[in-house]
Each structure stands twice: as C-alpha cells, then as structure tokens.
Amino acid sequence: MGTTSKALSLLNHFSRATPQIGLSELARLSGLNKATVHRLLAELTSHGFVEQVGAGREYRLGPAFLRLAALREKQVPMREVALQQLTELSTKTGETAHMSLLNGDVLSNLAYAYSNRHGTMVMMEDAEVLELHSTGSGLAVLAFSPTRFVNETLSRPLIARTSKTLTDPAEIRALLPAIRKRGMATSTGGFEEDVISYAVPIFDARSACIGAMAVAAPVSRMTDELRQDICDKLMIHARQTTRILGGFPPDGFPPYEPQNSLLREA
Amino acid sequence: MGTTSKALSLLNHFSRATPQIGLSELARLSGLNKATVHRLLAELTSHGFVEQVGAGREYRLGPAFLRLAALREKQVPMREVALQQLTELSTKTGETAHMSLLNGDVLSNLAYAYSNRHGTMVMMEDAEVLELHSTGSGLAVLAFSPTRFVNETLSRPLIARTSKTLTDPAEIRALLPAIRKRGMATSTGGFEEDVISYAVPIFDARSACIGAMAVAAPVSRMTDELRQDICDKLMIHARQTTRILGGFPPDGFPPYEPQNSLLREA
DNA sequence: AACCAATGGTTCAAATAATGAACCGATACA
DNA sequence: TGTATCGGTTCATTATTTGAACCATTGGTT
C-alpha cells in the first residue's frame, strides 16, 4: 500500500460516531506509527482535508471537501438527479425513498426524500452509513458485485443490528441469485426493527454496481397493494436514474415489466 | 514536499474550467513524471477521490467527496449557517449575498442567496473561484492575512478580469490598512463590470481569516442609502457568522457600530 | 508534592517506497 | 507509411518514509 493510500485511509476513520480523533487514537485505529500518522495529518491539514480543533488538539475533516464536492456535483450532478427521482418516488409511493453509494465496503447515503402522506415515516440521516448485510440496499449491491468482493464482505464479522439481521454468510449468499433474477432486494427489520425496505441496484457506464435506490416503509403499513406499488415505481425510477447518470444495467438485468396492469385485470 | 502532498495537489488542477484531465496533461500541469502521476491517480482512484471517464480515459473528481463533505457539514454546519445568514442578508438588502472560503491562494464559493426584490441580480455559481486581487472578498481576506501570505499572493501575476481590475501590487497593498481599520473591503467592477461588492472577513477560533461574506449589487442601482444599508446589515451578519462558527475577530477588529441612526438624524 | 499514565509532538539511522527515463501498444492524422 | 500523440508499464537508482525511543505537557492518584 502506497503512502498516499495510507493518508487517504486515515480519512475513513472519521464517521458520524467518531467525528474527531486524537493523534494517538488515530495511530491505534489505523495501525500506523504515531510519527507516521502525525506527518500524514500535517500534509492533509496543509491542504484543508483535516483540521485541528482547539482543546485536545484532536483532528476532524476539513473544509476542502465542501469545495471539491461542489465541483464534483457541478460536473456530475448525481445528488441533484437522485434527489429529483427520489422526490417523485416518495411522492408516488407515500413512503421514504433514498439512494446510497458504495464506498469501500459500506453504503453511504447520497440523498433521500420524505412523503407527507402519513404521520409516521422512516427517517434518514445525512452521511448515514448502511452495511451491506443488514439492509435491502446492501443486498441489492452484493447481488450485483464481483464474487471476490462478496466473499471479502461476508468473511468479515456481520453485526446484528436487530434480532432480525441476517448474520450467516451462507444464508445471505443463498438470497443473491433470486435478487439477481428479480433485479430487486428486500429486507425486513434487518437494520431497524419494524422497517421493510425494497432496493434496486444502480449501475455506472461500465455496468458496475455503484449503489442502490430504495424505498423504506413501516412494516405495520405494508399491504400487498402497497408492496406492488412500491416495487413498480421503484423499478421505474431506479432504471431511470441509472440511465440519466450515464450508466447501463449489466447483461441479464431484468427489464422493467409493468405488473400493475396484471393487478388491474385481477 | 511529501508524496501525499503531491497526490493532493493533483486534485487542485480540477476546476470548473478543466473538470477532467488526461494523464499526460496532468503530468504537464503538475510538473511531475507521468509514471508518478499515474501511480498517484491509481491510489486516488481506489479511494474514490478521482474516477476515470470512458472515452479518452480522462480523470475527474470522484464521488468520495460527496460523502466526506456531508460528514464535514454534519459536524461543522458551515454551509447551513452561512446559507441562513445569507438568506436574511439578501432579503434585507434586496441584493445578492454570498460567502466564500480561502482555499490555498483563491476563494471558493461556499453559499449564496438571491433576493427577489429586483428584476436584475448579480448571479453566482456553485464552485466558483474568486481571486484575491480582483474581488471585494479577496481584498477583505488579504487585509487580514499574514504579511508573508500577502507578499506571495501579490508577487504572482495578477490577471485583469475587467478594465477596472487592480493589477498593481503596490496599489492593492495601499488599500489594506484602510480595510483593516474599517473591517470591510469594497471593489467596483474588479471581477465583473458593473458590479460593486462589499465584503467583511470571517474568522476562525484562532482569529485567522478563513474567508469573507459579501453583498454584490449592480453599480447602476447603488445609492448612498443602499450603500449604507448594505454595509450596516453586512457588518452585523458577518460578525454573527464568525461568532456562530465558533470564531473570534482578531484584536483591533472594529466592533459593529450602527450608523443608520446617524443617517436617520440627518 | 511526587508519581504515573496518558497525551501531542520530534528525532534520525535503517528500511522501504517513490521516482523517472525508456519503453510498449494503440490511436489519430497526414 | 510515418509521425506524434495518447495511456500505461518497467526496473535500477534514489530519496522519502518509517518507527523505536525520546521530550514536554497535562490530568489524575496516592
């Protein structure tokens, strides 16, 4: 691993849970020497990627990201596109819609939209992190990721977020073929109790899976009708999002077939 | 300069004007060896800080910044705070208000707000870059920056954006004491013809100047009354912003003294 | 007050990783 | 066909990174 990678890896230790970290602590977390971490942090600091906060001289992410994120968004308006699609999706379904991007071995929230149809909603957070094994979005991404990546992900400890979280690698692996065939994953109470989510993968120009779009609803509100509506609308908007972002679904990804026509006949 | 700094410097070559750059071109721009640039880009790519776009295999900023910017903003809601202040400021003054942060030797836009009082407005852009010599914000920052920094900045070639841009280092230097005394800078037509702007520096917890808040109006609309109103409101909101962000004006920075009372007497 | 265990930060010889001239294959143009 | 780009790779030379041991400081404990 190159020096630059080590420096960049340091940034991954900052999270919502640990937004600022001391020198020794970061050395411990990263497994690097304290002197090394100090030098790398100095370089990151001089570029505004981290900054030192007064009291305990701890470090936190710097303001440079705001500029670079704005620049990135200016050229590749992912967030804007996503937000637009999610707003429509949540309005149509009456439930919370969100999209997240694969970042290393976790998903990070890109955008979300609420509906005001009901008094209760599944809530989302900015910069929230979703694990691959415990969420619908994660399963959708796993199903369309290279085998090696799946193996690595499932060989790490799988934390049980709730009593319903799947933590058996074999069990998760068994779900993937069906997800691939359907082009959609679902998870009930895996990340939060009483939340059911449906998720469809999003692809880039090389047909690599880069994240997922999902709709999350309280389990108590779910009916066959709502389920059908969510899946229908989600499939449309997820495919549309992939397309607008310049991506292509991989060979064999199921095309959208409206199923509500069948419902209406029934 | 360390290897990490070289890698991070590569990111600075991406801008609104050149959002994607080829390997050879980037080697030329950075003055580094092509092999070195390639390796550094490979490391940046593996962390999502840059990505390669299909055709010419050019590189552009990656999606990792969205996540890290969200995380940064979650902990230090600069943009949110700024936007709030700017919205009030532009509503009160009827003109465009914006805030930018010092990034290396230029200012980059953090946020802006328009008013709907008039049919014409000074327009801003996301991820826009402001030079220190040609804008009110830049002068405000220069006036409250270390001498060494000022010297370095003014020793570089100063591009004339308009016929009114100040390009003589001595002339610019001569303005700074008055700006320091007043706690506010102004520029007429320096960046864009027919735009006058007033700017107040923003400080961090160590009293270092980190950027500026400004109001920009068409020259044709400027009257003594509007000028007074803008300066008054701007001073209030800029000081408030510094305070909310946890910063402190340096010793000798002029406190806010309402001057509209004087106007009303007259 | 003396002591201990942390902290952030620094030093410098030894170990390792970065470097760059030359190279390859591909593409584009004349 | 020849030339001039491009992105990417190689590998001996070189220079940077590394890390154990070291300060100075802080906060808590005896």
Side-chain angles (χ1 to χ4, degrees), chain B residues 39-66:
Chain B
R39 188 174 42 79
L40 295 179
L41 283 173
E43 296 203 60
L44 288 169
T45 303
S46 75
H47 288 262
F49 284 80
V50 299
E51 66 181 10
Q52 239 174 327
V53 51
R57 293 182 177 177
E58 293 196 310
Y59 295 85
R60 67 180 179 198
L61 295 178
F65 292 111
L66 299 180

Side-chain angles (χ1 to χ4, degrees), chain A residues 25-133:
Chain A
E25 178 66 10
L26 193 48
R28 224 172 290 124
L29 286 170
S30 62
L32 299 172
N33 187 281
K34 200 173 48 160
T36 303
V37 172
H38 183 259
R39 189 174 42 79
L40 296 179
L41 283 173
E43 297 204 58
L44 289 169
T45 301
S46 76
H47 287 262
F49 285 81
V50 300
E51 66 182 9
Q52 236 174 330
V53 51
R57 292 185 178 175
E58 294 196 308
Y59 296 85
R60 68 179 177 199
L61 295 178
F65 293 112
L66 300 180
R67 182 180 75 92
L68 291 162
L71 206 51
R72 157 77 187 186
E73 185 67 9
K74 186 80 200 171
Q75 203 201 356
V76 190
M78 270 194 155
R79 224 187 107 87
E80 189 190 312
V81 165
L83 209 49
Q84 197 176 303
Q85 295 292 322
L86 293 170
T87 303
E88 269 191 58
L89 184 52
S90 85
T91 302
K92 285 183 187 170
T93 60
E95 299 293 345
T96 299
H98 64 102
M99 178 165 159
S100 48
L101 294 181
L102 186 60
N103 201 274
D105 59 347
V106 294
L107 288 168
S108 55
N109 239 338
L110 174 69
Y112 54 85
Y114 297 129
S115 160
N116 53 6
R117 190 184 301 176
H118 306 285
T120 62
M121 295 297 307
V122 177
M123 300 298 288
M124 304 294 301
E125 287 255 30
D126 274 326
E128 190 173 25
V129 164
L130 310 175
E131 299 150 307
L132 294 183
H133 72 283

Side-chain angles (χ1 to χ4, degrees), chain B residues 148-169:
Chain B
R148 228 188 94 198
F149 179 78
V150 175
N151 291 339
E152 281 176 17
T153 303
L154 296 184
S155 67
R156 274 185 279 267
L158 305 178
I159 297 169
R161 291 283 157 208
T162 72
S163 60
K164 289 170 189 152
T165 308
L166 300 180
T167 56
D168 178 5

Side-chain angles (χ1 to χ4, degrees), chain B residues 2-3 6 32-36 39-40 43:
Chain B
T3 309
K6 287 178 197 161
L32 299 172
N33 186 280
K34 201 172 49 161
T36 302
R39 188 174 42 79
L40 295 179
E43 296 203 60

Side-chain angles (χ1 to χ4, degrees), chain A residues 208-264:
Chain A
C209 179
I210 55 170
M213 179 170 282
V215 173
V219 170
S220 56
R221 198 144 67 214
M222 190 54 63
T223 62
D224 280 346
E225 197 178 355
L226 177 59
R227 189 190 325 276
Q228 189 61 59
D229 193 43
I230 287 175
C231 293
D232 227 48
K233 306 292 196 298
L234 174 59
M235 282 200 289
I236 296 176
H237 283 281
R239 279 165 182 73
Q240 204 160 37
T241 301
T242 285
R243 189 153 37 77
I244 296 176
L245 292 179
F248 297 96
D251 292 343
F253 191 75
Y256 167 66
E257 292 166 27
Q259 303 188 309
N260 46 3
S261 57
L262 295 173
L263 265 184
R264 284 197 188 115

